[in-house]
Amino acid sequence: MEFEGFIIHHTVCGKDDGSWDFLIRADGTVTPSPAPSRAGYICIALEGDFDRDYNLMTSAQKEQLFTASKIIMELSRLYQMSPLYLIPHSSSCPGAQFPWNSLVIYPADGYH
């Protein structure tokens, strides 16, 4: 299977309908989807509200973002695609304040 990139969303957008491939729960557990949710993309959902500045997030939310980063990096290697192609689920999800930079991983540098 070939993928173009990753779609990121959070569950408060009201569309927690299983339209994700990996759900990163508030307690840090990861629930994989039984089947791909969207052709060409890997969809990652974060449980909770992530429409805020990174500095205002709880430690649990920061851990969820770190887990998402690890998933992105591992799947990028597995499917030989760029970990830098991250797009929002919609124009309002995961929100204008979502800390995109917290998910940016440069393959040469490893985790940040």
Side-chain angles (χ1 to χ4, degrees):
M1 187 175 279
E2 289 190 33
F3 295 102
E4 293 180 42
F6 298 89
I7 295 175
I8 308 296
H9 84 96
H10 60 176
T11 59
V12 298
C13 74
K15 298 191 180 194
D16 187 18
D17 58 1
S19 60
W20 42 263
D21 297 304
F22 296 92
L23 173 62
I24 304 170
R25 298 192 180 276
D27 66 3
T29 59
V30 177
T31 303
S33 173
S37 64
R38 186 169 176 176
Y41 294 90
I42 297 171
C43 300
I44 298 174
L46 299 156
E47 184 176 51
D49 184 358
F50 284 79
D51 188 12
R52 61 181 54 133
D53 185 85
Y54 184 81
N55 294 325
L56 300 176
M57 291 187 176
T58 66
S59 60
Q61 287 178 308
K62 291 176 182 178
E63 185 65 31
Q64 283 175 271
L65 288 169
F66 182 69
T67 299
S69 296
K70 292 191 302 185
I71 289 171
I72 290 166
M73 195 60 164
E74 291 303 316
L75 292 174
S76 294
R77 280 184 221 161
L78 180 66
Y79 293 109
Q80 299 178 356
M81 61 185 204
S82 173
L84 303 177
Y85 192 59
L86 307 171
I87 60 173
H89 179 241
S90 69
S91 61
S92 61
C93 176
Q97 298 298 314
F98 185 81
W100 290 101
N101 287 339
S102 67
L103 292 181
V104 175
I105 300 171
Y106 295 95
D109 296 333
Y111 298 121
H112 60 261

